[in-house]
Amino acid sequence: MHVFLAILRCVIAIVIAYLVVFVAALVNILFERRTLAFMTDRLGPNRTGWQGVLQSVADAFKMMGKEDFAPAQVDKVVFTLAPIMVMIGAVSIQLVIPYTKGWVGQDLNVGLIYIIAVTGFTVLSILIGGWASHNKYALVGALRAAAQMVSYEIPMILAVLVVAMTVGSLSLNAVVALQAGYKWLAFYMPFTLLIFYIASIAELNRGPFDLPEAESELVSGYNVEYSGMRFGMFFLNEYAGLTIMSMVVVTLFFGGWQGPWANALVIHRIALVPIVWFLIKTYVLVFLLVWVRLSLPRLQVDQLMGFAWKILIPLGLANIAVSGAILLWAPHWHLVMAIYSWVALLVFVGLFDIVLRWRLDRQRKKVAVLA
Amino acid sequence: MSDEFVDTVPDEALRLALSRVAGATAAGEGSDMQGLRLDEVVLNMGPQHPSTHGVLRLVVTLDGEMVKDVIPVIGYLHRCKEKLAEKRTYYQYIPIPDRTEYVAGMNCEWGYVMTVEKLAGIQPTRRAEVIRVIMAELNRIASHLVAVGTFTADLAPLGTAMVFYMFRDREQILDLLEAASGARMMFNYFRFGGVRYDLPDGWVEKCRDFLERFPKMVQEYESLVETNAIFLQRCLGKGVISQQDVVDYAITGPNARASGVAHDLRRTRPYSVYPELDFDLCLGRHGDVYDRYKVRIEEMKQSRAIILQCLDMLPKGPVQVGSLKPPYVITPPPGAVYTAQENPRGEYGTYIVSDGSRYPYRLKYRDPCFINLQIFPKLLTGNKIADAVAISGSMDLVLGGIDR
């Protein structure tokens, strides 16, 4: 009987994971289109269904109806494999995220490491997809993606390490439990949050880090030769990524499902109200991602890599050292950590612009117009 | 280095790029990194590439992300606009210059009309002259809005916002131009000795109203990008054109003024009522991408000042010499005339040879975009491909003018 229940639980978890990925992708596509339209003084899609809610569904059906086309010279096996593989990361992450009190697909005791590990699958499929396409734009995009995602995984891990040290466990349930009573880690370690957030945007290939598919340079990058539902899989994965990455950030830094009236409505030991808090927090962050995308221009490859290796990784290492010292020796780590992290955040944000401006001006002065 | 595909396609530019790569490899100048042989990739950007602003085609040789060589290929928007003049009467040809630099139709029309007037010895009325300046400057603002908007769109995704804000405001200018001429893009408004219609009732007030709101709009654009660290990082010190290059390549317009060359035909070779107007030349000091952006922003402000002065001095009277109807058939005496005026993109010259008949014997444009394009191979080589896109965006090419 226990075996049967375990299998049932497994199946339900996987079904929910797929549902969340697909529904989140469709919702996010519409959400982003309408939000961008609002921000740029347009209407956006508002014809299909009430206020355009069916637009992404219609688009999905359109993509499924298209010819399953592969260019002549592609590597057929790999070309087909890439869009199938691309979803692995997004779906697998779902299995360890605690949606609510009493529901998590599998409370792995290495949840944090697991998340980092399965995120890497996305870069693999982008790389092989771009390589198999036999197209120069796709190849450049794929190589950019590989370089970028491998580089930004490091600051991401460095930030996650601080969380793990603080919690004393790698289980996501433990991370959420520690943040009960509004002791969200975001309040105590905003600097770590910033590092994690920047790295996670880069992992998502979102603006300003959307170099792999920079449409003004590479047309659409690694997926340029894909069409129909093969392209659709890349597209869905990218947009599902918004929600998934926001869910991870919420779980790690914003108290996960924690919120008022957590026990108001409980069915089979699964609390339902916290799901709402979880979703609200997630979509606030998704909105932030859309906002960031619209308000920042794209970085350049060397600037992007320089930012990861010269700024984020050293800062992440320093952050680990200081946070570790505080956790080890400070009697009340909450207060000391909060003071350190807020000061670090403000100094970083305040100085970054000034130093950059100064460096750029100095470089610019060297440029001679008068030959 | 033979390629089956290239061998079968008659594509001179692609072959040239490939042969250059082969030549460089043979001479041992190819990319070499600590004994590691790296291949250079010949990449075909355009004519359907999203950031070549129309149908410019660049055959780019890439070494990784670095641009090693650029061959611009043009002619995809060739519509025989010069040859058309030889089969049409002077009057019938007026709508065609609109189609050359289609973002600044008023200015182009003015160039043609001014040349024919000089050829035939027609002096436009004073009111018409002032109206012409107003229209040309309004169109200059509209054109710079497109230029800066699409340039920021090349640094996307920020441009998604910027370009929509700019097009929203350009819309109001097009409304003004439409109220005066009846068209939003292909105006057909200028006539020999004047303009087609007088300004409609209430137009001056509408125009003033727009100009009053305009500084706030410019402020919005500036606040969007100029404090943005990434924007500055992408623009400062990139794609520098030295003053020597400006002279060597005969670059004109905002691109020349960004390098600090004080060349503006409205000043250096004034025409129409420009000598009476008070405006500043906007000069950059570095000649980089940022200066080319900034000069355009400043020029919009100067154009606003010019229009305000023109509205103040707008005299009463006819907008057309002679009878109210424009002269449909004119036969200028034999001769040749070249006039040039300051278009939003630089010196726009029109050269007409007349043999005394009703048709021009020959018409030739000196299009600023075509001349500005010539520096591309030198300018883009050695930059990252992302920079190359930003630089070519900042040069503000209009393919209608290049291909004619």
Side-chain angles (χ1 to χ4, degrees):
Chain A
M1 197 60 197
H2 278 300
V3 177
F4 174 71
L5 272 181
I7 292 174
L8 185 68
R9 192 185 167 80
C10 212
V11 171
I12 292 178
I14 292 171
V15 169
I16 288 182
Y18 268 98
L19 270 182
V20 168
V21 167
F22 279 97
V23 172
L26 295 182
V27 169
N28 286 350
I29 292 169
L30 185 76
F31 180 74
E32 177 170 272
R33 288 179 72 179
R34 290 307 299 260
T35 316
L36 287 186
F38 169 71
M39 287 177 178
T40 55
D41 198 29
R42 292 178 290 131
L43 284 176
N46 65 351
R47 292 287 153 159
T48 324
W50 176 79
Q51 287 293 313
V53 285
L54 293 178
Q55 183 64 47
S56 5
V57 180
D59 284 346
F61 275 107
K62 176 203 72 183
M63 276 197 266
M64 279 182 233
K66 281 192 172 179
E67 185 192 350
D68 186 26
F69 177 79
Q73 295 198 326
V74 300
D75 184 337
K76 284 270 162 43
V77 178
V78 185
F79 189 77
T80 319
L81 203 58
I84 298 172
M85 267 175 57
V86 76
M87 282 285 188
I88 291 179
V91 174
S92 314
I93 288 182
Q94 294 294 304
L95 298 177
V96 295
I97 289 181
Y99 295 135
T100 174
K101 191 178 184 179
W103 179 266
V104 51
Q106 180 68 48
D107 186 20
L108 284 182
N109 55 1
V110 288
L112 282 173
I113 294 179
Y114 173 80
I115 285 182
I116 300 287
V118 293
T119 326
F121 271 103
T122 314
V123 63
L124 189 60
S125 67
I126 287 179
L127 187 57
I128 65 174
W131 176 262
S133 291
H134 199 264
N135 180 307
K136 290 164 188 168
Y137 288 114
L139 182 59
V140 175
L143 292 179
R144 279 183 179 186
Q148 168 181 337
M149 292 169 103
V150 168
S151 305
Y152 276 86
E153 237 164 50
I154 298 168
M156 201 165 157
I157 294 168
L158 295 179
V160 166
L161 267 180
V162 177
V163 176
M165 288 194 306
T166 314
V167 179
S169 163
L170 292 170
S171 151
L172 287 168
N173 263 348
V175 176
V176 176
L178 183 88
Q179 306 180 61
Y182 301 104
K183 288 180 181 160
W184 296 355
L185 286 181
F187 300 146
Y188 300 114
M189 38 182 74
F191 188 54
T192 313
L193 169 63
L194 182 77
I195 293 176
F196 186 85
Y197 199 67
I198 292 175
S200 71
I201 296 177
E203 282 288 298
L204 284 174
N205 291 333
R206 290 278 301 177
F209 304 109
D210 58 345
L211 284 104
E213 45 196 292
E215 85 271 4
S216 62
E217 303 144 29
L218 300 182
V219 191
S220 74
Y222 61 88
N223 59 27
V224 71
E225 288 290 1
Y226 282 93
S227 61
M229 207 49 214
R230 293 176 203 243
F231 165 74
M233 294 302 276
F234 282 115
F235 196 59
L236 288 178
N237 174 63
E238 195 186 319
Y239 277 88
L242 297 186
T243 300
I244 313 262
M245 204 47 97
S246 300
M247 279 177 170
V248 173
V249 176
V250 165
T251 309
L252 293 187
F253 292 98
F254 290 95
W257 45 263
Q258 307 270 8
W261 309 301
N263 296 318
L265 197 61
V266 181
I267 299 173
H268 289 294
R269 284 186 289 156
I270 297 169
L272 295 185
V273 177
I275 296 179
V276 178
W277 305 136
F278 190 56
L279 283 180
I280 290 177
K281 288 177 194 173
T282 303
Y283 270 83
V284 169
L285 287 181
V286 171
F287 175 75
L288 198 61
L289 280 172
V290 175
W291 194 1
V292 165
R293 177 201 163 159
L294 186 75
S295 29
L296 294 176
R298 184 179 301 122
L299 279 164
Q300 211 173 290
V301 179
D302 51 335
Q303 295 162 357
L304 177 95
M305 301 304 276
F307 188 65
W309 289 97
K310 291 181 194 158
I311 298 177
L312 276 189
I313 291 176
L315 282 179
L317 286 171
N319 189 33
I320 284 186
V322 178
S323 304
I326 291 172
L327 289 169
L328 257 185
W329 293 311
H332 304 286
W333 70 265
H334 281 105
L335 183 68
V336 185
M337 179 77 96
I339 294 174
Y340 148 70
S341 206
W342 278 105
V343 169
L345 176 80
L346 294 177
V347 168
F348 175 66
V349 172
L351 278 185
F352 186 77
D353 220 35
I354 299 170
V355 172
L356 185 74
R357 217 34 228 266
W358 175 74
R359 275 192 58 190
L360 286 173
D361 281 342
R362 211 181 47 171
Q363 277 175 11
R364 201 178 182 213
K365 277 198 187 106
K366 285 183 199 158
V367 173
V369 180
L370 290 163
Chain B
M1 196 168 180
S2 97
D3 189 314
E4 265 176 55
F5 177 71
V6 175
D7 288 343
T8 53
V9 174
D11 189 334
E12 290 301 320
L14 212 52
R15 279 188 193 168
L16 180 61
L18 285 171
S19 70
R20 280 187 194 171
V21 171
T25 313
E29 294 164 3
S31 172
D32 202 352
M33 192 194 277
Q34 294 170 351
L36 199 68
R37 194 95 231 142
L38 297 176
D39 269 346
E40 292 182 349
V41 177
V42 176
L43 187 70
N44 190 32
M45 282 178 82
Q48 277 95 16
H49 192 276
S51 65
T52 48
H53 298 233
V55 285
L56 176 65
R57 177 173 161 217
L58 299 171
V59 178
V60 182
T61 306
L62 287 181
D63 177 11
E65 291 268 343
M66 300 293 279
V67 175
K68 282 271 166 164
D69 189 18
V70 178
I71 303 173
V73 186
I74 60 171
Y76 293 92
L77 199 60
H78 179 58
R79 293 194 285 180
C80 314
K81 296 184 192 86
E82 287 172 357
K83 183 72 183 167
L84 276 175
E86 295 164 24
K87 293 288 171 216
R88 291 172 173 232
T89 65
Y90 285 94
Y91 183 77
Q92 282 175 325
Y93 187 71
I94 293 176
I96 309 293
D98 279 338
R99 271 97 176 148
T100 56
E101 241 184 73
Y102 45 78
V103 191
M106 287 282 189
N107 301 58
C108 300
E109 249 176 59
W110 195 6
Y112 169 72
V113 168
M114 202 155 59
T115 314
V116 177
E117 277 168 359
K118 209 166 166 187
L119 201 59
I122 304 171
Q123 180 62 39
T125 65
R126 172 114 178 120
R127 183 175 173 85
E129 285 276 32
V130 177
I131 290 178
R132 283 177 179 188
V133 174
I134 293 173
M135 295 301 163
E137 293 300 328
L138 274 178
N139 212 333
R140 187 187 309 276
I141 296 179
S143 166
H144 281 339
L145 285 176
V146 174
V148 178
T150 49
F151 157 63
T152 47
D154 286 345
L155 308 175
L158 163 81
T160 330
M162 185 88 161
V163 79
F164 277 111
Y165 294 160
M166 291 193 148
F167 272 64
R168 174 194 67 197
D169 302 335
R170 172 174 174 262
E171 215 47 22
Q172 303 178 27
I173 298 176
L174 293 189
D175 285 345
L176 286 172
L177 296 181
E178 186 188 13
S181 71
R184 297 170 71 80
M185 203 167 163
M186 306 301 173
F187 301 105
N188 192 7
Y189 183 58
F190 287 61
R191 291 293 180 270
F192 308 125
V195 292
R196 181 73 188 88
Y197 309 104
D198 202 349
L199 297 177
D201 290 345
W203 193 90
V204 175
E205 288 71 39
K206 261 194 233 164
C207 188
R208 270 185 205 284
D209 179 45
F210 169 74
L211 293 176
E212 235 159 67
R213 284 179 286 119
F214 187 65
K216 224 171 183 181
M217 300 172 190
V218 177
Q219 213 176 8
E220 189 186 4
Y221 313 142
E222 288 177 331
S223 67
L224 254 177
V225 293
E226 282 176 21
T227 53
N228 190 313
I230 302 179
F231 179 82
L232 296 176
Q233 225 174 341
R234 292 291 306 272
C235 292
L236 291 180
K238 297 278 165 68
V240 177
I241 304 179
S242 69
Q243 293 192 344
Q244 189 60 46
D245 278 348
V246 168
V247 177
D248 287 352
Y249 286 85
I251 292 172
T252 46
N255 295 335
R257 291 193 284 277
S259 298
V261 179
H263 178 70
D264 185 330
L265 291 177
R266 293 175 293 177
R267 266 292 159 72
T268 48
R269 221 184 301 156
Y271 49 95
S272 190
V273 294
Y274 279 114
E276 304 163 32
L277 297 170
D278 176 33
F279 63 96
D280 295 331
L281 284 193
C282 315
L283 298 179
R285 287 190 297 133
H286 301 279
D288 56 1
V289 172
Y290 183 81
D291 272 356
R292 289 200 278 280
Y293 148 80
K294 191 68 187 164
V295 161
R296 291 198 168 87
I297 291 278
E298 294 298 328
E299 272 188 17
M300 285 197 256
K301 296 176 187 166
Q302 293 303 321
S303 288
R304 172 183 173 270
I306 292 176
I307 301 169
L308 279 176
Q309 290 170 47
C310 286
L311 289 177
D312 287 337
M313 66 191 265
L314 191 66
K316 293 214 161 23
V319 292
Q320 182 70 53
V321 280
S323 66
L324 280 177
K325 288 226 167 159
Y328 287 123
V329 177
I330 59 168
T331 48
V337 163
Y338 174 86
T339 62
Q341 97 278 23
E342 187 69 23
N343 251 30
R345 280 160 194 79
E347 177 179 338
Y348 187 88
T350 317
Y351 178 66
I352 299 181
V353 182
S354 163
D355 59 355
S357 71
R358 292 155 62 194
Y359 309 101
Y361 177 74
R362 171 86 169 95
L363 184 143
K364 169 91 178 76
Y365 292 120
R366 182 236 187 252
D367 187 86
C369 296
F370 179 71
I371 312 281
N372 292 351
L373 174 70
Q374 307 307 320
I375 200 177
F376 262 49
K378 181 176 180 183
L379 197 58
L380 301 189
T381 305
N383 283 299
K384 300 261 184 322
I385 179 144
D387 272 342
V389 169
I391 294 167
S392 72
S394 77
M395 292 294 281
D396 184 22
L397 301 178
V398 168
L399 269 291
I402 292 177
D403 292 343
R404 298 199 280 279

